[in-house]
Amino acid sequence: MQKRFWTLLFFLLLPHVAIAQTGTCEPALADAYLDAGNVRARILNNGALFWRGSPHVYEVPKGGGSNAIFAASIWIGGMINGFRRVAASRYGPWEFWAGPLDYTGNPPADCKPYDRIWEIRTEDIQAFIDGEGVSNNLKNWPWHLGAPVVDGDGNPNNYNLEGGDLPELLGDQRLWWIMNDRGNIHYTSDSDPIGLEVHASAHAFTHPGFISNSTFYSYKLINKNNAPFDKAFFGLFKDIDLGNFDDDYVGSDSLLHLSYGYNADNVDEGGKGYGLAPPAIGFTFLETELAPPDSIDNDRDGEIDEPDEKIGAYSMVYFKSSGSVNGDPQTGRHYYNYMQSRWKDDAPMYKGYNGYDWRTNVDDDLPLETTRFSYSGDPVTKAFWTEFNINNQGRAWRPADRRSVFSSGPYTIASFDTIEVRLAIVWSRGRDNLDSVTELKKDVRAIRSTSDAFYTPASMTPKPADFRQPPSPVLGFDQNFPNPFTQSTTLRYSLPQSMQVRLAVYDILGREVALLVDAQQEAGIHTADFDAEDLPAGVYLARIELDFLQFTKRMVLLR
């Protein structure tokens, strides 16, 4: 009784203390289409991707009539003050709602004003630069909600187009939306809300080849609790339907942080199928957050706890379309277990068969080996463990519809702190169904080798006025324009007096690949063009030496 009295007195004396509450938001209904490249994808703002009920759209090639993915959705789970919290769903009810959380962690009283997906394209910015007016996309960019802006006027706390501010364009088309998991009750996971605000983004490129066949995603997770969100995992659920839905296999490659799907034979039948030589579809986590010292090789490079080690993929789990112990998840505990490669009954995943039922097939004398990655062998060589070879004796599964979850973590997000998770979806087609897997891994390798380039803002900012009317010269070395670039780019520098100038370009290994200037130059504004036609895609460094001074700029070459 005495304890209850003091508890009531505490809250009476502190009426200003706000306690975060679950809201009463309606389901988010906005959608938009990511279609700048060779993919047409339906983007949603409720935690799902590609499907919320008909139609499901992840069409590659764009306009070809065949979809590579039926549905996907994000799963997030972890611990707050020792209690498990999960926001996850496969096909609904969805557990994210439109809009931000306030400083106390509460959702909007009405989420409808935020129920939209904002868009920016190359054409919007180019038209503005060319003096053709301000598009609605430019005018309505939600910088006040956290949508990223390239600062052009020196004030990071405004959005001033006339002053040089512009939306941060990634690729040739970017979609941006804001969600929270406290907008209403978590009916699917039956979990209390986490208290996350999520800034989500999807972008695509018009560049030909495998880049145009890929789409890129970023999720910024903001913990709006007064306690850390730890042992946290980010999962991507996928229901892969490569054209015809009932003839698919899945696999993983932990070294490439890759989960993928492919056709079990060389013909994808049906009116919506891919026909001969069907493609493969892959999902890769692109390393972002620094890993803590945890004695784990998080980036799978053979070293443990090295400086700048990043967190990548943690596990890939295939589960059956059933209510069994290794079937569809039904509770928050199940979702959280699957993101950690544990079954619904907390058992670990073992290599062989489907990762669980192998224990009923002990006659095959499989080694007792735990794993976090389902079907991690090489299907091209039929190596163990793949769906072509589940028992190390050549036994294969019957191909069918496939569901899996691909996760990254563990993360710790401090109170009111943010982490970012990046991933790419890559579609590749080879000479046959297995060569498509080979091509997929090659394309993923190329993306991972220069992953930062795909998240570097496109340099669509207007050329500074002093490109056209140079001011009084001062010592300076500007960022190249454009950046990223596909063949050539321009470097600009200013000299306050006559100086000896050496301007050279180096690759990421420090090898000089081009000497642009090596001469005595007079005071004023100077430019130098760098033609990278014969160089591979990647990161390059432009270094200028001015008498005893040196400056370096990072440039990104795309193909």
Side-chain angles (χ1 to χ4, degrees):
M1 184 70 181
Q2 186 178 20
K3 180 178 179 182
R4 183 181 178 188
F5 169 79
W6 286 110
T7 301
L8 289 171
L9 180 62
F10 174 80
F11 284 104
L12 287 172
L13 293 175
L14 294 176
H16 63 280
V17 174
I19 300 175
Q21 302 290 327
T22 299
T24 57
C25 290
E26 295 294 321
L29 298 176
D31 64 1
Y33 284 86
L34 188 68
D35 58 6
N38 197 34
V39 179
R40 184 171 184 262
R42 187 184 183 202
I43 305 298
L44 307 165
N45 68 336
N46 57 4
L49 290 169
F50 318 135
W51 182 88
R52 187 190 54 214
S54 185
H56 70 281
V57 182
Y58 196 88
E59 184 186 51
V60 203
K62 181 174 62 180
S66 296
N67 289 286
I69 306 170
F70 176 72
S73 60
I74 63 171
W75 298 1
I76 301 173
M79 308 294 288
I80 294 180
N81 291 327
F83 292 95
R84 181 178 56 243
R85 303 287 181 86
V86 174
S89 184
R90 292 174 294 117
Y91 309 103
W94 311 107
E95 298 194 339
F96 289 92
W97 291 266
L101 298 177
D102 65 20
Y103 71 96
T104 64
N106 280 299
D110 182 6
C111 290
K112 288 180 183 178
Y114 308 99
D115 188 10
R116 62 172 295 181
I117 296 173
W118 289 266
E119 178 183 29
I120 193 70
R121 290 179 180 260
T122 299
E123 299 93 309
D124 296 307
I125 298 179
Q126 191 63 60
F128 176 66
I129 292 172
D130 294 341
E132 297 174 6
V134 180
S135 68
N136 286 332
N137 287 344
L138 270 177
K139 187 186 306 179
N140 298 324
W141 189 247
W143 67 277
H144 57 292
L145 296 177
V149 170
V150 176
D151 182 25
D153 65 357
N155 181 359
N157 300 312
N158 70 349
Y159 178 54
N160 178 11
L161 288 170
E162 295 304 320
D165 292 345
L166 284 174
E168 185 186 83
L169 175 63
L170 300 180
D172 294 290
Q173 179 197 12
R174 185 179 193 180
L175 303 176
W176 190 92
W177 62 105
I178 185 169
M179 306 182 291
N180 72 84
D181 86 307
R182 197 167 260 153
N184 212 315
I185 297 171
H186 289 208
Y187 288 106
T188 297
S189 65
D190 193 26
S191 166
D192 287 336
I194 301 167
L196 285 180
E197 180 177 303
V198 181
H199 297 186
S201 170
H203 65 278
F205 295 82
T206 59
H207 300 291
F210 70 90
I211 297 176
S212 184
N213 292 333
S214 305
T215 54
F216 300 84
Y217 305 82
S218 166
Y219 292 90
K220 291 185 177 180
L221 312 181
I222 306 170
N223 175 21
K224 291 205 169 176
N225 289 282
N226 59 6
F229 182 44
D230 60 11
K231 300 179 183 176
F233 290 85
F234 178 99
L236 182 71
F237 163 74
K238 306 105 56 193
D239 183 342
I240 297 170
D241 289 354
L242 268 170
N244 179 22
F245 75 95
D246 64 356
D247 58 355
D248 295 337
Y249 277 164
V250 293
S252 64
D253 186 326
S254 63
L255 296 180
L256 285 177
H257 302 258
L258 173 67
S259 170
Y260 61 92
Y262 59 103
N263 216 71
D265 59 33
N266 199 37
V267 181
D268 188 40
E269 300 86 357
K272 298 293 185 180
Y274 279 102
L276 286 171
I281 188 81
F283 309 78
T284 182
F285 282 110
L286 301 174
E287 301 156 2
T288 52
E289 298 296 321
L290 286 173
D294 55 8
S295 301
I296 297 173
D297 183 11
N298 291 280
D299 56 7
R300 311 240 170 13
D301 65 352
E303 296 184 55
I304 293 175
D305 292 346
E306 71 272 22
D308 298 326
E309 183 179 32
K310 303 291 184 67
I311 293 176
Y314 182 84
S315 67
M316 192 285 270
V317 175
Y318 158 72
F319 54 88
K320 298 192 294 185
S321 177
S322 72
S324 65
V325 72
N326 59 336
D328 292 325
Q330 287 122 4
T331 69
R333 172 189 167 195
H334 298 163
Y335 283 100
Y336 190 48
N337 276 2
Y338 276 0
M339 285 186 275
Q340 301 175 82
S341 69
R342 303 189 74 85
W343 298 112
K344 288 157 65 172
D345 62 356
D346 299 324
M349 182 164 62
Y350 288 93
K351 187 178 290 188
Y353 289 86
N354 60 18
Y356 188 89
D357 290 342
W358 71 274
R359 288 176 290 187
T360 65
N361 296 275
V362 293
D363 291 343
D364 287 320
D365 196 28
L366 288 176
L368 188 66
E369 182 180 354
T370 61
T371 182
R372 298 204 305 263
F373 290 87
S374 294
Y375 304 118
S376 53
D378 182 1
V380 177
T381 62
K382 306 296 193 295
F384 178 71
W385 177 37
T386 70
E387 295 211 58
F388 286 117
N389 184 4
I390 62 173
N391 64 345
N392 209 17
Q393 296 181 17
R395 179 181 168 188
W397 286 130
R398 183 182 70 82
D401 191 19
R402 290 292 185 259
R403 302 174 184 180
S404 60
V405 63
F406 190 37
S407 70
S408 177
Y411 296 99
T412 295
I413 314 177
S415 177
F416 287 87
D417 203 359
T418 301
I419 68 164
E420 181 180 12
V421 178
R422 295 174 175 177
L423 60 97
I425 301 178
V426 185
W427 181 96
S428 305
R429 195 168 198 171
R431 296 183 302 272
D432 56 44
N433 61 316
L434 296 182
D435 188 51
S436 292
V437 175
T438 300
E439 289 297 308
L440 173 68
K441 292 187 177 185
K442 182 172 73 175
D443 293 344
V444 168
R445 228 174 257 114
I447 288 174
R448 294 190 61 80
S449 68
T450 56
S451 61
D452 282 352
F454 298 99
Y455 289 85
T456 299
S459 187
M460 291 298 299
T461 53
K463 292 184 179 181
D466 52 14
F467 255 94
R468 301 182 289 271
Q469 297 176 348
S472 300
V474 293
L475 182 62
F477 183 36
D478 293 337
Q479 185 66 53
N480 60 302
F481 179 90
N483 188 47
F485 63 103
T486 56
Q487 178 169 326
S488 62
T489 188
T490 299
L491 292 147
R492 191 195 72 154
Y493 54 97
S494 56
L495 306 178
Q497 61 190 42
S498 177
M499 303 180 79
Q500 179 66 31
V501 178
R502 189 178 196 276
L503 176 58
V505 178
Y506 300 83
D507 66 15
I508 200 66
L509 299 178
R511 297 173 296 197
E512 185 177 299
V513 297
L515 178 61
L516 305 182
V517 179
D518 189 7
Q520 184 78 19
Q521 292 187 316
E522 297 302 313
I525 304 294
H526 300 268
T527 61
D529 294 329
F530 172 46
D531 189 340
E533 181 178 5
D534 298 325
L535 294 174
V539 175
Y540 291 87
L541 303 175
R543 187 172 70 194
I544 192 168
E545 300 173 20
L546 306 169
D547 288 343
F548 57 89
L549 297 174
Q550 292 186 4
F551 301 94
T552 301
K553 295 295 182 183
R554 181 176 175 273
M555 308 185 296
V556 178
L557 173 63
L558 298 178
R559 293 299 189 197

